Structures are given as C-alpha cells and as structure tokens.
Amino acid sequence: MTIRKPNIGPSDDPLVDLLSHRPRRLRRLPGLRRLVRETILTPADFIYPLFVVHGTGVERAIESMPGQAHRSIDRLPAVIDAVVAAGVPGVILFGLPAAKDAAGSENFAADGIVQQAIRAIKARAPELIVMTDVCLCEYTDHGHCGILGVDAHGHGPIVLNDATLPVLGRVAVSHAAAGADVVAPSGMMDGMVAAIRGALDEAGHADVAIVSYAAKYASAFYGPFREAADSTPQFGDRRGYQMDPANRREALREMALDADEGADVLMVKPALAYLDVIAAARDAFDLPVAAYNVSGEYAMVKAAAARGWLDERASALETLLSIKRAGADMILTYWALEASAWLAEGRDDVG
Ligand code: PBG
C-alpha cells in the first residue's frame, strides 16, 4: 500500500503528487456542513432584556434600539408569551422609575417597577427565568452606579464603593422577595457579589443565583441603552469603576474575585469587541460564562441593515454564533426573539 504524503504541489511520485488535503470535501453539501459544525445556536442560549415603565397601555418604541420597547406592566403578557413560545429560557429586567433621587429609592421599593414586573411575569409564566439588573444608575438622579460622596481629602464627588454595597444588597433582596430567580449586579463595585450573597442568604434567599457582570468595560457600545434606560451619568464617566478596554489580565482577576465571592455565573460585557476576554474566561474558569451582546452591537447592525448595507439576519446570527464559539454559555441579546425565529426556519447556515 502506498501512503500518500500530505503534500501539496508537484513531486516526482505521481501518487504523492495528488492534493491529499482537501478541507472543501466537508463543505460540499449542506448535510456535510451540518455534520461537522462545531457550534450550534439554539434559542436556549438566549436571555431577552426587557425595559419596564410605569403607567398603563405603554408600549413605546425605543428609537436607538429598533424593535425594542418600553412597556408598562399590562403590556408584558404578550411579550412574555412570545418569549416562552420562542423557547428562550429567560428575561432580564431593566426598570425606569417614576422618580430619581440621590439614593435611588425606588430600586428597593416593594412596589417598584421592577418588583411589579417580576410578580407579573412569574404569574404569567412561572417557568420563565426572571433575572434582574442590580445597579443604581437608572434610579439615581446623578446617573452613576453608586452612592456619591467625597474622598478622604474631601475631594469629590466620587462614587463611594463601600457605602454602595448595602444598597446593592437591599435591591437584590427586594428583587428576590418579589420572585426573581437570578440577580445580576452590573455596577462594578468591589465586593458587590459578596455583599449581595450575604444579604440574600441572610434574608432566606440562598437559592437565588448571582450572574455577576464581572468583567464589564467602560464601553462606547452602551450608548443606545443609556438613552433607553435614561442612565447617562450627569457628570464625568464610568471609568473610575468600569474596566479599561485595554485590559485582559485584569478581567481574569475581576472574575476570580467574583467567583471567590460566590458568583454562580461570570459575565463579560460587551461581547463583540471582547471575544478574547470571553475565550480567556472560558479557559480559566469552570463556572458558566455569560456574554452581553450590548445595545451598540445591536444598533449598528440594525442601522446598517435599514440602509441595505448589511443582511440583518445573517449578520446577527453570525455575531451570536461568534459569541458562543468564543465560549459563552448564555447570551443576553436584543435579538433573542428574532434570532429564535430565524433559527426555527432551519436554514443550513447556523442550526
Ligand atoms: C447598568 C447597565 C448598563 C447596561 C446594562 N446594565 C449601562 C452602563 O453600564 O452604562 C448596558 C446594556 C447595553 O448597552 O445593552 N445598569
């Protein structure tokens, strides 16, 4: 038997002369491509973000995020039914309070907008996983993710880390008491996971999980969300607490700390410009990894598609696939419903 050497190109031996490596063989037919596909998206990968507001009969389109809306509680059942029908396992809630103040009081009010929404969703679809974003920025009049104060020299205002922790614990307990399954602290305060774990356990909510926005970068890609959530800081920026986009080792350190403090899932945010961080997280930790396909990643494809410059379906699915391929176990995405419908079409390029 002659063994063909894996050579490409001319040789004296007519057998060796054959082109023996032909990766295209397995790309020839849709069935072959499906058999060798390494990453497969399913609706079970997605978590759908929802924005809830006070009032009745409100379903107001969010201009910066085409296809997304502000909804009052009475408008939730229809979208919740759609999420369940799509096979998407969970939602994450963001609330717009009736009034903002320095401490963000509605954040931990029993009848706060998020607490009402949790109860309404659990009443409609008890099996649907309800996650909540635990942060101050949508509730504070200054738009920062913590309590403001001055430093040891009287300089400020700055976001006070340790004074913010009990507030985050209180918010998480209030969400848990309303029926949330998962809380997701997004404020990048040091020790936030430990503070929330402690507060939840003490209040009898040991079974509520924490998905920590562990590696959250100070990113330009949150722009459309800040319009949607009315959470733009009124002065300065978030670079004193969110991570520097230049740093990857630091992300691993942030994630190690959060894992140590009791995080059940580690999140990287944004996703697309940080695929290397998602991949590093996957390698370094056994915990599930979540990735947030943020508002700017969504809006830029929507905007280009609206001009006919990109095919939205193909671009969105390719984006989501890349996030999963990088190592994410779950993806928070505004495309959750549309992507599930596209996947159900069963075309041969992703499923
Ligand atoms: C903070 C929070 C933000 C997002 C989720 N949680 C905004 C921020 O940190 O400024 C951004 C989500 C997105 O852009 O889609 N509560």
Side-chain angles (χ1 to χ4, degrees):
M1 196 177 85
T2 310
I3 296 180
R4 291 175 188 159
K5 281 199 276 167
N7 276 347
I8 299 173
S11 144
D12 293 340
D13 180 340
L15 284 171
V16 170
D17 202 20
L18 292 172
L19 183 57
S20 53
H21 289 265
R22 292 184 182 273
R24 285 185 54 186
R25 284 184 194 123
L26 297 179
R27 296 181 200 139
R28 193 168 60 86
L29 296 167
L32 288 168
R33 292 196 292 271
R34 287 179 62 210
L35 284 168
V36 301
R37 185 159 295 141
E38 298 173 36
T39 309
I40 294 177
L41 278 178
T42 86
D45 298 324
F46 305 140
I47 294 163
Y48 188 46
L50 288 172
F51 296 91
V52 289
V53 298
H54 288 275
T56 51
V58 183
E59 185 155 351
R60 198 170 47 236
I62 299 170
E63 211 179 311
S64 56
M65 299 169 66
Q68 309 306 311
H70 288 128
R71 291 185 175 85
S72 52
I73 304 293
D74 59 317
R75 291 300 183 102
L76 288 176
V79 68
I80 291 305
D81 291 353
V83 172
V84 171
V88 170
V91 294
I92 181 164
L93 302 179
F94 297 96
L96 283 87
K100 299 178 190 248
D101 58 37
S105 322
E106 190 182 316
N107 217 346
F108 43 78
D111 62 348
I113 189 64
V114 165
Q115 289 80 353
Q116 290 183 43
I118 297 166
R119 288 191 291 264
I121 294 168
K122 278 291 171 187
R124 184 79 179 186
E127 306 286 309
L128 189 68
I129 302 307
V130 177
M131 287 176 56
T132 58
D133 188 82
V134 174
C135 193
L136 269 59
C137 62
E138 290 133 56
Y139 293 86
T140 50
D141 47 17
H142 47 73
H144 277 287
C145 300
I147 301 292
L148 296 187
V150 291
D151 67 13
H153 308 285
H155 298 310
I158 62 160
V159 175
L160 297 175
N161 193 85
D162 298 12
T164 302
L165 298 179
V167 183
L168 295 175
R170 205 170 161 189
V171 173
V173 168
S174 152
H175 290 173
D181 302 296
V182 178
V183 294
S186 65
M188 290 300 283
M189 295 298 121
D190 295 334
M192 67 184 184
V193 173
I196 288 173
R197 187 70 274 157
L200 287 172
D201 291 357
E202 207 170 298
H205 299 296
D207 53 353
V208 169
I210 300 178
V211 173
S212 180
Y213 289 70
K216 177 172 177 181
Y217 288 88
S219 171
F221 289 99
Y222 307 146
F225 173 95
R226 288 186 188 167
E227 191 180 320
D230 187 22
S231 64
T232 307
Q234 295 306 300
F235 65 90
D237 55 42
R238 302 207 203 288
R239 282 183 286 186
Y241 41 103
Q242 296 182 346
M243 280 185 56
D244 186 331
N247 295 354
R248 181 169 56 172
R249 288 192 304 270
E250 188 190 350
L252 293 173
R253 181 165 149 72
E254 280 282 4
M255 289 188 268
L257 291 172
D258 283 11
D260 201 42
E261 290 177 29
D264 299 287
V265 178
L266 300 170
M267 197 198 300
V268 175
K269 180 187 172 188
L272 205 47
Y274 299 87
L275 294 177
D276 58 325
V277 180
I278 296 172
R282 174 71 296 140
D283 282 351
F285 301 98
D286 292 331
L287 290 176
V289 173
Y292 202 138
N293 173 218
V294 300
S295 57
E297 299 168 24
Y298 173 80
M300 62 188 180
V301 172
K302 284 277 180 191
R307 294 178 171 220
W309 292 347
L310 280 178
D311 172 340
E312 183 187 358
R313 174 192 173 281
S315 306
L317 290 175
E318 188 176 332
T319 297
L320 294 167
L321 191 71
S322 75
I323 296 167
K324 185 167 183 184
R325 191 194 62 233
D329 298 288
M330 60 190 92
I331 306 171
L332 292 79
T333 178
Y334 303 102
W335 273 302
L337 295 183
E338 283 168 294
S340 298
W342 291 324
L343 292 172
E345 290 169 4
R347 288 166 51 184
D348 87 315
D349 52 352
V350 279

